[in-house]
Amino acid sequence: MGRLFGTDGVRGVANEGLTAELALGLSVAAAHVLGDAGAFEGHRPVAVVGRDPRASGEFLEAAVIAGLASAGVDVLRVGVLPTPAVAYLTGALGADFGVMLSASHNAMPDNGIKFLARGGHKLDDAVEDAIEEHYQRYGVGGDEDWKRPTGASVGRVRQYTEGFDKYVAHLVAVLPNRLDGVRVVIDGAHGAAARVAPEAFARAGAEVVYTLGAEPNGLNINDGVGSTHLDKLQAAMKEHRADLGVALDGDADRCLAADADGNEVDGDQIIAVLAVAMKEAGTLRGNTAVATVMSNLGFKLAMEREGIDLVQTAVGDRYVLEEMKHHGFALGGEQSGHVILLDHATTGDGTLTGLMLGARLAATKQSLADLAAVMTRLPQVLINVKGVDRTRAAGCVELDAAVAAAEAELGATGRVLLRPSGTEPLVRVMVEAADEVQAKEIAERLAEAVRTHLG
């Protein structure tokens, strides 16, 4: 069996790769690893369980809850809420761990299971490995059995209905100022924050002039809406003459934005705007922002110009978070819109990110376009090469040679990044250059090399 956990939990096509049996077995394993199984006799562990609106989440949630309760874990079922809400509630309620069922921005047939440690934090690799090992030993088809609680020792399941209000109240309470006078369009991606985000913005004082992606039916999550499909939000911004457009993804752990003219404001620009605001407020700990190697070179130049230090990590918000926690930094994120505000959240929170942008607009009385102009994006071309064996990308001599040739051609005016996806069966090719035509030509050449050598 290959490693089950990717860069963001366990994902797969629901009821195909990600089955009810797998969900149940992993939950039992997580209960024993995260719930202090050795101390079950003196401690009843508690888990918070939430999901996004995918239809498959209904049966997977049932399997997860069954596994946890069968292992002696009491379950607080919070229903459809964003990933950052489940993380927040895990910490706020003093639960031993949390479980979120979502495949984030992936299409509806996919789903995923993400476990959160005590306090609502992501698991490190060693803990994930321990859960996998336990699953392989004691799970469905495993070689060993485990001691099952009976009678009053089995876990109890309770619907926790206060989660929505508790989370929204938290979001509004941490804002530096109200959003009065800011007109907002929100795209909830027919996802987990379809109700949360409009409510939070309204309570914070913004005028929510239009919503889209706000009617989840279990089948339409991310379907032509959300942070991976900005065209509808961009059109709505111009139609409704709004100040801020916010686009979330399926589990609302990321946020992209649009200005009054419908222009995209990506994660790099959002982090740049917030970094400047936090520096002014004295809350940018270490005078440092954390980003990944995928960040636009223009972002790095902007941080240098603003006198803000930049630390770059490997791709993946988990690596950004690890760096932030290790050094005590307060702000980090990815170009894709995962923005982590560690003083207020343990993971990326799209709704919180959008609210902080709105607060900056309200405080400065500037437009989002003017605020985002703190950085200039250099041309960057990203090609997702599908239908290839991503596992062979590392160490492929032919690809290494192709990348080296491209880097020599670009010199100091650009850069190349070739990376297998951690959550999808594809390889990402990114090329950045001062000239867009050159960037596109080199990216297409490298994409063809990936197809040739990894096909």
mmCIF file of all heavy atoms in Angstrom, residues 408-453:
data_model
loop_
_atom_site.group_PDB
_atom_site.id
_atom_site.type_symbol
_atom_site.label_atom_id
_atom_site.label_comp_id
_atom_site.label_asym_id
_atom_site.label_seq_id
_atom_site.Cartn_x
_atom_site.Cartn_y
_atom_site.Cartn_z
ATOM 1 N N ALA A 408 18.867 28.275 -17.801
ATOM 2 C CA ALA A 408 19.987 28.955 -18.449
ATOM 3 C C ALA A 408 19.478 30.001 -19.430
ATOM 4 O O ALA A 408 20.051 31.095 -19.551
ATOM 5 C CB ALA A 408 20.874 27.930 -19.157
ATOM 6 N N GLU A 409 18.385 29.678 -20.125
ATOM 7 C CA GLU A 409 17.811 30.615 -21.092
ATOM 8 C C GLU A 409 17.240 31.859 -20.389
ATOM 9 O O GLU A 409 17.375 32.981 -20.883
ATOM 10 C CB GLU A 409 16.706 29.922 -21.887
ATOM 11 C CG GLU A 409 16.072 30.784 -22.964
ATOM 12 C CD GLU A 409 15.021 30.024 -23.758
ATOM 13 O OE1 GLU A 409 15.035 28.786 -23.723
ATOM 14 O OE2 GLU A 409 14.178 30.690 -24.398
ATOM 15 N N LEU A 410 16.618 31.661 -19.227
ATOM 16 C CA LEU A 410 16.010 32.776 -18.503
ATOM 17 C C LEU A 410 17.047 33.624 -17.777
ATOM 18 O O LEU A 410 16.878 34.842 -17.637
ATOM 19 C CB LEU A 410 14.994 32.247 -17.487
ATOM 20 C CG LEU A 410 13.693 31.697 -18.049
ATOM 21 C CD1 LEU A 410 12.931 30.940 -16.970
ATOM 22 C CD2 LEU A 410 12.834 32.831 -18.608
ATOM 23 N N GLY A 411 18.110 32.985 -17.311
ATOM 24 C CA GLY A 411 19.111 33.716 -16.552
ATOM 25 C C GLY A 411 18.520 34.284 -15.272
ATOM 26 O O GLY A 411 17.696 33.653 -14.609
ATOM 27 N N ALA A 412 18.873 35.533 -14.953
ATOM 28 C CA ALA A 412 18.411 36.164 -13.716
ATOM 29 C C ALA A 412 17.045 36.831 -13.878
ATOM 30 O O ALA A 412 16.521 37.391 -12.919
ATOM 31 C CB ALA A 412 19.429 37.196 -13.252
ATOM 32 N N THR A 413 16.466 36.761 -15.076
ATOM 33 C CA THR A 413 15.209 37.481 -15.330
ATOM 34 C C THR A 413 13.971 36.649 -15.053
ATOM 35 O O THR A 413 12.855 37.121 -15.231
ATOM 36 C CB THR A 413 15.153 37.947 -16.798
ATOM 37 O OG1 THR A 413 15.141 36.793 -17.660
ATOM 38 C CG2 THR A 413 16.350 38.815 -17.126
ATOM 39 N N GLY A 414 14.148 35.395 -14.626
ATOM 40 C CA GLY A 414 12.972 34.564 -14.369
ATOM 41 C C GLY A 414 13.360 33.306 -13.632
ATOM 42 O O GLY A 414 14.496 33.152 -13.172
ATOM 43 N N ARG A 415 12.432 32.389 -13.554
ATOM 44 C CA ARG A 415 12.703 31.134 -12.851
ATOM 45 C C ARG A 415 11.742 30.049 -13.322
ATOM 46 O O ARG A 415 10.719 30.323 -13.953
ATOM 47 C CB ARG A 415 12.597 31.308 -11.342
ATOM 48 C CG ARG A 415 11.215 31.677 -10.852
ATOM 49 C CD ARG A 415 11.233 32.144 -9.406
ATOM 50 N NE ARG A 415 9.891 32.493 -8.963
ATOM 51 C CZ ARG A 415 9.177 31.805 -8.094
ATOM 52 N NH1 ARG A 415 9.672 30.706 -7.555
ATOM 53 N NH2 ARG A 415 7.972 32.197 -7.736
ATOM 54 N N VAL A 416 12.090 28.793 -12.983
ATOM 55 C CA VAL A 416 11.321 27.616 -13.382
ATOM 56 C C VAL A 416 11.048 26.771 -12.145
ATOM 57 O O VAL A 416 11.917 26.612 -11.284
ATOM 58 C CB VAL A 416 12.095 26.763 -14.418
ATOM 59 C CG1 VAL A 416 11.378 25.448 -14.684
ATOM 60 C CG2 VAL A 416 12.282 27.541 -15.707
ATOM 61 N N LEU A 417 9.833 26.243 -12.063
ATOM 62 C CA LEU A 417 9.505 25.318 -10.992
ATOM 63 C C LEU A 417 8.683 24.186 -11.582
ATOM 64 O O LEU A 417 7.645 24.422 -12.216
ATOM 65 C CB LEU A 417 8.708 26.023 -9.889
ATOM 66 C CG LEU A 417 8.415 25.206 -8.630
ATOM 67 C CD1 LEU A 417 9.708 24.865 -7.904
ATOM 68 C CD2 LEU A 417 7.491 25.976 -7.693
ATOM 69 N N LEU A 418 9.149 22.951 -11.397
ATOM 70 C CA LEU A 418 8.444 21.768 -11.873
ATOM 71 C C LEU A 418 8.152 20.910 -10.649
ATOM 72 O O LEU A 418 9.075 20.490 -9.951
ATOM 73 C CB LEU A 418 9.292 21.022 -12.897
ATOM 74 C CG LEU A 418 8.617 19.896 -13.686
ATOM 75 C CD1 LEU A 418 9.222 19.792 -15.091
ATOM 76 C CD2 LEU A 418 8.807 18.565 -12.966
ATOM 77 N N ARG A 419 6.846 20.653 -10.397
ATOM 78 C CA ARG A 419 6.482 20.017 -9.128
ATOM 79 C C ARG A 419 5.300 19.072 -9.301
ATOM 80 O O ARG A 419 4.266 19.454 -9.855
ATOM 81 C CB ARG A 419 6.105 21.105 -8.115
ATOM 82 C CG ARG A 419 5.754 20.606 -6.736
ATOM 83 C CD ARG A 419 5.375 21.762 -5.826
ATOM 84 N NE ARG A 419 4.071 22.295 -6.164
ATOM 85 C CZ ARG A 419 2.922 21.858 -5.664
ATOM 86 N NH1 ARG A 419 2.923 20.842 -4.814
ATOM 87 N NH2 ARG A 419 1.777 22.404 -5.994
ATOM 88 N N PRO A 420 5.432 17.818 -8.824
ATOM 89 C CA PRO A 420 4.277 16.927 -8.806
ATOM 90 C C PRO A 420 3.255 17.426 -7.778
ATOM 91 O O PRO A 420 3.632 17.859 -6.692
ATOM 92 C CB PRO A 420 4.854 15.575 -8.364
ATOM 93 C CG PRO A 420 6.323 15.740 -8.280
ATOM 94 C CD PRO A 420 6.631 17.178 -8.269
ATOM 95 N N SER A 421 1.978 17.375 -8.120
ATOM 96 C CA SER A 421 0.935 17.768 -7.178
ATOM 97 C C SER A 421 0.892 16.789 -6.014
ATOM 98 O O SER A 421 1.085 15.592 -6.193
ATOM 99 C CB SER A 421 -0.429 17.806 -7.875
ATOM 100 O OG SER A 421 -1.475 17.961 -6.932
ATOM 101 N N GLY A 422 0.600 17.314 -4.830
ATOM 102 C CA GLY A 422 0.471 16.442 -3.675
ATOM 103 C C GLY A 422 -0.938 15.917 -3.478
ATOM 104 O O GLY A 422 -1.164 15.031 -2.657
ATOM 105 N N THR A 423 -1.920 16.468 -4.224
ATOM 106 C CA THR A 423 -3.316 16.082 -4.016
ATOM 107 C C THR A 423 -4.007 15.588 -5.279
ATOM 108 O O THR A 423 -5.100 15.042 -5.202
ATOM 109 C CB THR A 423 -4.120 17.270 -3.466
ATOM 110 O OG1 THR A 423 -4.031 18.377 -4.384
ATOM 111 C CG2 THR A 423 -3.580 17.706 -2.112
ATOM 112 N N GLU A 424 -3.372 15.791 -6.455
ATOM 113 C CA GLU A 424 -4.010 15.413 -7.712
ATOM 114 C C GLU A 424 -3.001 14.683 -8.593
ATOM 115 O O GLU A 424 -1.789 14.900 -8.481
ATOM 116 C CB GLU A 424 -4.540 16.651 -8.442
ATOM 117 C CG GLU A 424 -5.579 17.438 -7.669
ATOM 118 C CD GLU A 424 -5.970 18.717 -8.382
ATOM 119 O OE1 GLU A 424 -6.793 18.656 -9.304
ATOM 120 O OE2 GLU A 424 -5.442 19.782 -8.017
ATOM 121 N N PRO A 425 -3.481 13.823 -9.529
ATOM 122 C CA PRO A 425 -2.572 13.066 -10.403
ATOM 123 C C PRO A 425 -2.059 13.908 -11.572
ATOM 124 O O PRO A 425 -2.448 13.721 -12.724
ATOM 125 C CB PRO A 425 -3.455 11.906 -10.896
ATOM 126 C CG PRO A 425 -4.833 12.473 -10.897
ATOM 127 C CD PRO A 425 -4.895 13.415 -9.728
ATOM 128 N N LEU A 426 -1.191 14.845 -11.280
ATOM 129 C CA LEU A 426 -0.645 15.715 -12.319
ATOM 130 C C LEU A 426 0.683 16.310 -11.866
ATOM 131 O O LEU A 426 1.058 16.238 -10.694
ATOM 132 C CB LEU A 426 -1.639 16.827 -12.678
ATOM 133 C CG LEU A 426 -2.212 17.703 -11.552
ATOM 134 C CD1 LEU A 426 -1.271 18.862 -11.224
ATOM 135 C CD2 LEU A 426 -3.570 18.260 -11.964
ATOM 136 N N VAL A 427 1.389 16.908 -12.830
ATOM 137 C CA VAL A 427 2.640 17.605 -12.558
ATOM 138 C C VAL A 427 2.462 19.061 -12.960
ATOM 139 O O VAL A 427 1.962 19.364 -14.049
ATOM 140 C CB VAL A 427 3.813 16.979 -13.346
ATOM 141 C CG1 VAL A 427 5.076 17.829 -13.197
ATOM 142 C CG2 VAL A 427 4.086 15.557 -12.856
ATOM 143 N N ARG A 428 2.845 19.976 -12.070
ATOM 144 C CA ARG A 428 2.699 21.402 -12.337
ATOM 145 C C ARG A 428 4.013 21.959 -12.901
ATOM 146 O O ARG A 428 5.091 21.713 -12.345
ATOM 147 C CB ARG A 428 2.321 22.161 -11.066
ATOM 148 C CG ARG A 428 1.076 21.625 -10.381
ATOM 149 C CD ARG A 428 0.659 22.525 -9.226
ATOM 150 N NE ARG A 428 -0.290 21.862 -8.340
ATOM 151 C CZ ARG A 428 -1.586 21.727 -8.575
ATOM 152 N NH1 ARG A 428 -2.095 22.203 -9.697
ATOM 153 N NH2 ARG A 428 -2.373 21.106 -7.719
ATOM 154 N N VAL A 429 3.886 22.714 -13.989
ATOM 155 C CA VAL A 429 5.031 23.397 -14.588
ATOM 156 C C VAL A 429 4.790 24.895 -14.471
ATOM 157 O O VAL A 429 3.794 25.413 -14.979
ATOM 158 C CB VAL A 429 5.208 23.007 -16.075
ATOM 159 C CG1 VAL A 429 6.326 23.834 -16.702
ATOM 160 C CG2 VAL A 429 5.498 21.525 -16.206
ATOM 161 N N MET A 430 5.675 25.593 -13.784
ATOM 162 C CA MET A 430 5.549 27.032 -13.631
ATOM 163 C C MET A 430 6.787 27.717 -14.183
ATOM 164 O O MET A 430 7.922 27.334 -13.859
ATOM 165 C CB MET A 430 5.350 27.404 -12.155
ATOM 166 C CG MET A 430 4.982 28.877 -11.928
ATOM 167 S SD MET A 430 6.409 29.989 -11.886
ATOM 168 C CE MET A 430 7.081 29.629 -10.273
ATOM 169 N N VAL A 431 6.568 28.713 -15.018
ATOM 170 C CA VAL A 431 7.665 29.507 -15.572
ATOM 171 C C VAL A 431 7.343 30.978 -15.373
ATOM 172 O O VAL A 431 6.234 31.429 -15.661
ATOM 173 C CB VAL A 431 7.885 29.219 -17.071
ATOM 174 C CG1 VAL A 431 8.965 30.138 -17.634
ATOM 175 C CG2 VAL A 431 8.262 27.760 -17.288
ATOM 176 N N GLU A 432 8.312 31.719 -14.885
ATOM 177 C CA GLU A 432 8.171 33.153 -14.639
ATOM 178 C C GLU A 432 9.251 33.867 -15.433
ATOM 179 O O GLU A 432 10.411 33.447 -15.451
ATOM 180 C CB GLU A 432 8.350 33.408 -13.147
ATOM 181 C CG GLU A 432 7.742 34.685 -12.633
ATOM 182 C CD GLU A 432 7.737 34.678 -11.124
ATOM 183 O OE1 GLU A 432 8.827 34.584 -10.528
ATOM 184 O OE2 GLU A 432 6.644 34.737 -10.545
ATOM 185 N N ALA A 433 8.861 34.938 -16.116
ATOM 186 C CA ALA A 433 9.820 35.678 -16.933
ATOM 187 C C ALA A 433 9.368 37.123 -17.042
ATOM 188 O O ALA A 433 8.210 37.458 -16.763
ATOM 189 C CB ALA A 433 9.941 35.052 -18.330
ATOM 190 N N ALA A 434 10.284 37.972 -17.439
ATOM 191 C CA ALA A 434 9.938 39.383 -17.623
ATOM 192 C C ALA A 434 9.004 39.562 -18.815
ATOM 193 O O ALA A 434 8.235 40.519 -18.877
ATOM 194 C CB ALA A 434 11.211 40.208 -17.811
ATOM 195 N N ASP A 435 9.047 38.615 -19.751
ATOM 196 C CA ASP A 435 8.230 38.681 -20.965
ATOM 197 C C ASP A 435 7.247 37.514 -20.982
ATOM 198 O O ASP A 435 7.649 36.354 -20.844
ATOM 199 C CB ASP A 435 9.136 38.629 -22.207
ATOM 200 C CG ASP A 435 8.332 38.630 -23.489
ATOM 201 O OD1 ASP A 435 7.813 39.701 -23.856
ATOM 202 O OD2 ASP A 435 8.201 37.559 -24.106
ATOM 203 N N GLU A 436 5.966 37.792 -21.166
ATOM 204 C CA GLU A 436 4.943 36.753 -21.104
ATOM 205 C C GLU A 436 5.072 35.745 -22.243
ATOM 206 O O GLU A 436 4.828 34.548 -22.056
ATOM 207 C CB GLU A 436 3.551 37.383 -21.129
ATOM 208 C CG GLU A 436 2.428 36.382 -20.915
ATOM 209 C CD GLU A 436 1.089 37.036 -20.704
ATOM 210 O OE1 GLU A 436 1.003 38.275 -20.802
ATOM 211 O OE2 GLU A 436 0.123 36.298 -20.434
ATOM 212 N N VAL A 437 5.437 36.217 -23.425
ATOM 213 C CA VAL A 437 5.587 35.310 -24.561
ATOM 214 C C VAL A 437 6.685 34.286 -24.285
ATOM 215 O O VAL A 437 6.525 33.095 -24.528
ATOM 216 C CB VAL A 437 5.894 36.104 -25.850
ATOM 217 C CG1 VAL A 437 6.218 35.147 -27.001
ATOM 218 C CG2 VAL A 437 4.720 36.999 -26.226
ATOM 219 N N GLN A 438 7.803 34.751 -23.752
ATOM 220 C CA GLN A 438 8.907 33.840 -23.431
ATOM 221 C C GLN A 438 8.488 32.850 -22.357
ATOM 222 O O GLN A 438 8.785 31.650 -22.443
ATOM 223 C CB GLN A 438 10.124 34.631 -22.967
ATOM 224 C CG GLN A 438 11.344 33.745 -22.678
ATOM 225 C CD GLN A 438 12.502 34.516 -22.069
ATOM 226 O OE1 GLN A 438 12.284 35.487 -21.344
ATOM 227 N NE2 GLN A 438 13.725 34.091 -22.362
ATOM 228 N N ALA A 439 7.776 33.338 -21.339
ATOM 229 C CA ALA A 439 7.331 32.458 -20.263
ATOM 230 C C ALA A 439 6.423 31.359 -20.805
ATOM 231 O O ALA A 439 6.548 30.183 -20.424
ATOM 232 C CB ALA A 439 6.599 33.266 -19.195
ATOM 233 N N LYS A 440 5.514 31.716 -21.704
ATOM 234 C CA LYS A 440 4.587 30.735 -22.273
ATOM 235 C C LYS A 440 5.318 29.714 -23.126
ATOM 236 O O LYS A 440 5.043 28.508 -23.043
ATOM 237 C CB LYS A 440 3.519 31.444 -23.094
ATOM 238 C CG LYS A 440 2.432 30.516 -23.612
ATOM 239 C CD LYS A 440 1.348 31.297 -24.342
ATOM 240 C CE LYS A 440 0.250 30.353 -24.841
ATOM 241 N NZ LYS A 440 -0.821 31.088 -25.558
ATOM 242 N N GLU A 441 6.247 30.169 -23.948
ATOM 243 C CA GLU A 441 6.986 29.260 -24.823
ATOM 244 C C GLU A 441 7.777 28.234 -24.008
ATOM 245 O O GLU A 441 7.764 27.031 -24.318
ATOM 246 C CB GLU A 441 7.941 30.057 -25.717
ATOM 247 C CG GLU A 441 7.238 30.857 -26.812
ATOM 248 C CD GLU A 441 8.220 31.683 -27.632
ATOM 249 O OE1 GLU A 441 9.409 31.778 -27.213
ATOM 250 O OE2 GLU A 441 7.812 32.235 -28.663
ATOM 251 N N ILE A 442 8.458 28.697 -22.973
ATOM 252 C CA ILE A 442 9.272 27.790 -22.168
ATOM 253 C C ILE A 442 8.386 26.834 -21.381
ATOM 254 O O ILE A 442 8.680 25.634 -21.260
ATOM 255 C CB ILE A 442 10.193 28.591 -21.230
ATOM 256 C CG1 ILE A 442 11.234 29.355 -22.068
ATOM 257 C CG2 ILE A 442 10.881 27.671 -20.227
ATOM 258 C CD1 ILE A 442 12.127 30.264 -21.250
ATOM 259 N N ALA A 443 7.265 27.337 -20.846
ATOM 260 C CA ALA A 443 6.353 26.480 -20.083
ATOM 261 C C ALA A 443 5.781 25.379 -20.957
ATOM 262 O O ALA A 443 5.689 24.215 -20.538
ATOM 263 C CB ALA A 443 5.233 27.319 -19.483
ATOM 264 N N GLU A 444 5.383 25.701 -22.182
ATOM 265 C CA GLU A 444 4.834 24.698 -23.088
ATOM 266 C C GLU A 444 5.885 23.669 -23.477
ATOM 267 O O GLU A 444 5.592 22.476 -23.612
ATOM 268 C CB GLU A 444 4.259 25.387 -24.325
ATOM 269 C CG GLU A 444 2.981 26.188 -24.032
ATOM 270 C CD GLU A 444 2.471 26.945 -25.239
ATOM 271 O OE1 GLU A 444 3.252 27.092 -26.217
ATOM 272 O OE2 GLU A 444 1.313 27.411 -25.208
ATOM 273 N N ARG A 445 7.116 24.116 -23.655
ATOM 274 C CA ARG A 445 8.210 23.195 -23.986
ATOM 275 C C ARG A 445 8.446 22.208 -22.829
ATOM 276 O O ARG A 445 8.607 21.001 -23.040
ATOM 277 C CB ARG A 445 9.469 24.003 -24.272
ATOM 278 C CG ARG A 445 10.632 23.195 -24.843
ATOM 279 C CD ARG A 445 11.908 24.017 -24.849
ATOM 280 N NE ARG A 445 11.657 25.372 -25.338
ATOM 281 C CZ ARG A 445 12.405 26.423 -24.998
ATOM 282 N NH1 ARG A 445 13.433 26.257 -24.180
ATOM 283 N NH2 ARG A 445 12.139 27.611 -25.472
ATOM 284 N N LEU A 446 8.433 22.719 -21.602
ATOM 285 C CA LEU A 446 8.644 21.854 -20.452
ATOM 286 C C LEU A 446 7.460 20.912 -20.232
ATOM 287 O O LEU A 446 7.640 19.755 -19.848
ATOM 288 C CB LEU A 446 8.886 22.701 -19.199
ATOM 289 C CG LEU A 446 10.245 23.409 -19.128
ATOM 290 C CD1 LEU A 446 10.287 24.332 -17.917
ATOM 291 C CD2 LEU A 446 11.378 22.390 -19.062
ATOM 292 N N ALA A 447 6.249 21.411 -20.484
ATOM 293 C CA ALA A 447 5.061 20.561 -20.334
ATOM 294 C C ALA A 447 5.120 19.387 -21.310
ATOM 295 O O ALA A 447 4.776 18.246 -20.952
ATOM 296 C CB ALA A 447 3.798 21.370 -20.552
ATOM 297 N N GLU A 448 5.582 19.647 -22.510
ATOM 298 C CA GLU A 448 5.709 18.581 -23.498
ATOM 299 C C GLU A 448 6.774 17.572 -23.073
ATOM 300 O O GLU A 448 6.624 16.355 -23.261
ATOM 301 C CB GLU A 448 6.056 19.164 -24.859
ATOM 302 C CG GLU A 448 6.090 18.130 -25.996
ATOM 303 C CD GLU A 448 4.769 17.397 -26.153
ATOM 304 O OE1 GLU A 448 3.697 18.018 -25.950
ATOM 305 O OE2 GLU A 448 4.809 16.174 -26.461
ATOM 306 N N ALA A 449 7.849 18.074 -22.441
ATOM 307 C CA ALA A 449 8.880 17.167 -21.931
ATOM 308 C C ALA A 449 8.330 16.280 -20.824
ATOM 309 O O ALA A 449 8.652 15.086 -20.738
ATOM 310 C CB ALA A 449 10.066 17.969 -21.415
ATOM 311 N N VAL A 450 7.457 16.838 -19.989
ATOM 312 C CA VAL A 450 6.837 16.038 -18.930
ATOM 313 C C VAL A 450 5.971 14.943 -19.544
ATOM 314 O O VAL A 450 6.012 13.773 -19.121
ATOM 315 C CB VAL A 450 5.985 16.938 -17.997
ATOM 316 C CG1 VAL A 450 5.133 16.091 -17.054
ATOM 317 C CG2 VAL A 450 6.878 17.886 -17.206
ATOM 318 N N ARG A 451 5.164 15.286 -20.543
ATOM 319 C CA ARG A 451 4.312 14.286 -21.213
ATOM 320 C C ARG A 451 5.162 13.181 -21.857
ATOM 321 O O ARG A 451 4.817 12.000 -21.797
ATOM 322 C CB ARG A 451 3.455 14.969 -22.281
ATOM 323 C CG ARG A 451 2.434 15.963 -21.735
ATOM 324 C CD ARG A 451 1.512 16.484 -22.827
ATOM 325 N NE ARG A 451 0.722 17.610 -22.366
ATOM 326 C CZ ARG A 451 1.032 18.880 -22.570
ATOM 327 N NH1 ARG A 451 2.130 19.189 -23.281
ATOM 328 N NH2 ARG A 451 0.271 19.836 -22.106
ATOM 329 N N THR A 452 6.262 13.591 -22.456
ATOM 330 C CA THR A 452 7.109 12.628 -23.165
ATOM 331 C C THR A 452 7.786 11.647 -22.204
ATOM 332 O O THR A 452 7.800 10.425 -22.445
ATOM 333 C CB THR A 452 8.186 13.370 -23.977
ATOM 334 O OG1 THR A 452 7.562 14.208 -24.942
ATOM 335 C CG2 THR A 452 9.108 12.375 -24.689
ATOM 336 N N HIS A 453 8.319 12.166 -21.118
ATOM 337 C CA HIS A 453 9.133 11.334 -20.235
ATOM 338 C C HIS A 453 8.371 10.716 -19.062
ATOM 339 O O HIS A 453 8.876 9.774 -18.441
ATOM 340 C CB HIS A 453 10.322 12.150 -19.719
ATOM 341 C CG HIS A 453 11.213 12.653 -20.817
ATOM 342 N ND1 HIS A 453 11.954 11.812 -21.614
ATOM 343 C CD2 HIS A 453 11.483 13.929 -21.248
ATOM 344 C CE1 HIS A 453 12.640 12.537 -22.498
ATOM 345 N NE2 HIS A 453 12.371 13.817 -22.299
#
